């Protein structure tokens, strides 16, 4: 009997302990037709932020081609402007520049260097109308018989006269060339093409642009001749006369004509009269 009472008391104690535990919850049984929800399926909505992150990153990749396109459209360095000969503005500018040789120049002089002088600058040329004075380069310091240092040329009468003007080059103890008159053959005198003659050969040209030459403002032009050579010329902006003419064949320079120390409108008719002719 005592043993039975102990068993009943133990069972009663177990029942009391189970009834007092608040954290033990018996899940409701699913009704008919419903399935139990697994714990993993309940936590599935937490994966949504990862999908949102991917959707935000995708538009960033699509912006790279747009930035590249903007770089390609950016303009590069400006090309040098070259005025072509068939441009109305260029044609008018060139004609005005070439007219200055006739309208503004009454006389001029220059120190010449070219193929005839092997590039050395020797004789000085002074020109006024049909008259030309050539100051001959002094090659010998000794007084020589029949020496003259000036040539006076009149293209209208087709005559040429030589005179010796520089006294220390013309007079010695037994020679006086200042009193001599030297009649010259005009056809035998080698006269390089003058700046004015170069100007008159221009029928069309491309204006390259402004430059500075021999401390003067010039306009560079170029044109192609019938033989395929290209003429590059630097024209004085005030008087329209060339200071330099370069002949090119392809990229090779084949000749250069240069007129240094140019002086304009400084000479009178009296300077073209031979002083040795009385």
């Amino acid at each position: 009997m005592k043993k039975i009472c102990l068993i009943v008391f133990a069972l009663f104690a177990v029942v009391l302990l189970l009834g007092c535990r608040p954290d033990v919850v018996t899940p409701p049984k699913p009704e008919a037709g419903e399935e139990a929800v697994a714990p993993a399926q309940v936590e599935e909505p937490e994966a949504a932020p990862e999908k949102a992150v991917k959707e935000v990153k995708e538009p960033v990749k699509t912006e790279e081609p747009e930035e590249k396109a903007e770089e390609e459209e950016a303009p590069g360095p400006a090309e040098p402007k070259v005025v072509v000969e068939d441009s109305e503005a260029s044609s008018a500018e060139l004609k005005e520049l070439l007219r200055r040789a006739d309208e503004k120049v009454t006389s001029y002089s220059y120190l010449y260097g070219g193929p005839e002088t092997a590039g050395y600058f020797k004789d000085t040329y002074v020109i006024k109308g049909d008259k030309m004075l050539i100051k001959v380069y002094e090659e010998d310091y000794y007084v020589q018989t029949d020496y003259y240092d000036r040539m006076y040329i009149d293209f209208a009468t087709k005559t040429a006269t030589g005179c010796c003007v520089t006294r220390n080059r013309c007079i010695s103890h037994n020679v006086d060339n200042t009193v001599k008159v030297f009649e010259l053959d005009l056809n035998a005198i080698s006269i390089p093409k003058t700046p004015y003659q170069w100007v008159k050969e221009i029928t069309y040209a491309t204006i390259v642009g402004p430059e500075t030459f021999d401390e003067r403002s010039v306009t560079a032009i170029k044109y192609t001749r019938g033989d395929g050579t290209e003429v590059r010329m630097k024209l004085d902006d005030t008087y329209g006369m060339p200071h330099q003419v370069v002949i090119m064949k392809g990229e090779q320079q084949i000749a250069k004509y240069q007129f240094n120390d140019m002086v304009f409108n400084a000479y009178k008719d009296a300077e073209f009269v031979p002083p040795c002719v009385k």
Side-chain angles (χ1 to χ4, degrees):
M1 184 70 176
K2 186 178 180 178
K3 198 179 280 188
I4 293 172
C5 290
L6 291 172
I7 294 171
V8 171
F9 179 78
L11 291 173
F12 181 75
V14 170
V15 171
L16 287 176
L17 291 171
L18 292 174
C20 293
R21 292 184 59 186
D23 55 343
V24 177
V25 179
T26 303
K29 295 182 179 181
E31 297 181 0
E34 295 183 356
E35 296 181 359
V37 179
Q41 292 177 340
V42 175
E43 297 177 357
E44 185 175 355
E46 296 179 0
E50 296 181 2
K51 184 177 181 182
V53 172
K54 291 182 179 179
E55 292 178 354
V56 173
K57 290 182 178 180
E58 288 178 357
V60 176
K61 294 182 179 180
T62 59
E63 291 179 1
E64 292 181 358
E66 295 179 0
E67 294 177 358
K68 186 176 181 181
E70 291 179 359
E71 293 178 358
E72 291 176 354
E73 294 176 0
E79 293 293 330
K81 184 178 180 181
V82 177
V83 183
V84 295
E85 59 266 18
D86 57 356
S87 167
E88 292 183 5
S90 173
S91 178
E93 182 180 353
L94 181 62
K95 288 179 181 178
E96 170 62 25
L97 186 60
L98 296 178
R99 275 200 299 264
R100 294 171 188 172
D102 290 314
E103 296 175 353
K104 295 188 175 184
V105 178
T106 58
S107 64
Y108 63 102
S109 66
Y110 55 89
L111 177 63
Y112 175 76
E116 303 89 342
T117 64
Y120 293 102
F121 293 88
K122 294 185 175 182
D123 299 341
T124 298
Y125 295 79
V126 185
I127 301 172
K128 188 176 189 297
D130 293 329
K131 306 290 181 63
M132 175 182 287
L133 165 62
I134 304 176
K135 298 179 181 179
V136 181
Y137 176 73
E138 298 178 2
E139 296 184 355
D140 194 341
Y141 292 101
Y142 296 98
V143 176
Q144 300 178 4
T145 304
D146 297 334
Y147 170 80
Y148 54 88
D149 58 3
R150 299 288 189 273
M151 290 188 287
Y152 297 83
I153 300 172
D154 188 333
F155 292 102
T157 60
K158 298 181 180 179
T159 58
T161 303
C163 295
C164 201
V165 175
T166 309
R167 298 186 64 84
N168 62 343
R169 292 286 294 109
C170 300
I171 300 175
S172 67
H173 65 283
N174 58 352
V175 176
D176 186 357
N177 290 323
T178 60
V179 297
K180 296 180 180 179
V181 178
F182 301 90
E183 298 294 341
L184 308 177
D185 182 2
L186 181 58
N187 295 323
I189 301 174
S190 177
I191 303 175
K193 190 184 299 183
T194 68
Y196 185 77
Q197 289 174 324
W198 278 107
V199 169
K200 289 307 174 182
E201 287 187 359
I202 302 172
T203 56
Y204 68 93
T206 297
I207 295 179
V208 179
E211 294 183 14
T212 300
F213 183 86
D214 203 11
E215 299 183 352
R216 296 187 66 92
S217 297
V218 300
T219 297
I221 68 170
K222 64 180 181 179
Y223 61 89
T224 303
R225 299 193 292 193
D227 59 359
T229 57
E230 182 181 74
V231 179
R232 300 179 182 179
M233 195 177 299
K234 300 182 188 298
L235 297 175
D236 191 276
D237 283 346
T238 303
Y239 298 101
M241 290 282 207
H243 290 266
Q244 185 188 77
V245 180
V246 176
I247 310 299
M248 302 291 294
K249 191 167 187 178
E251 296 299 321
Q252 180 182 3
Q253 176 181 304
I254 60 176
K256 181 170 72 172
Y257 309 85
Q258 194 156 307
F259 313 98
N260 285 357
D261 304 332
M262 294 191 79
V263 177
F264 296 94
N265 304 338
Y267 303 97
K268 299 179 180 180
D269 292 338
E271 298 181 64
F272 299 89
V273 176
C276 57
V277 177
K278 305 300 183 183

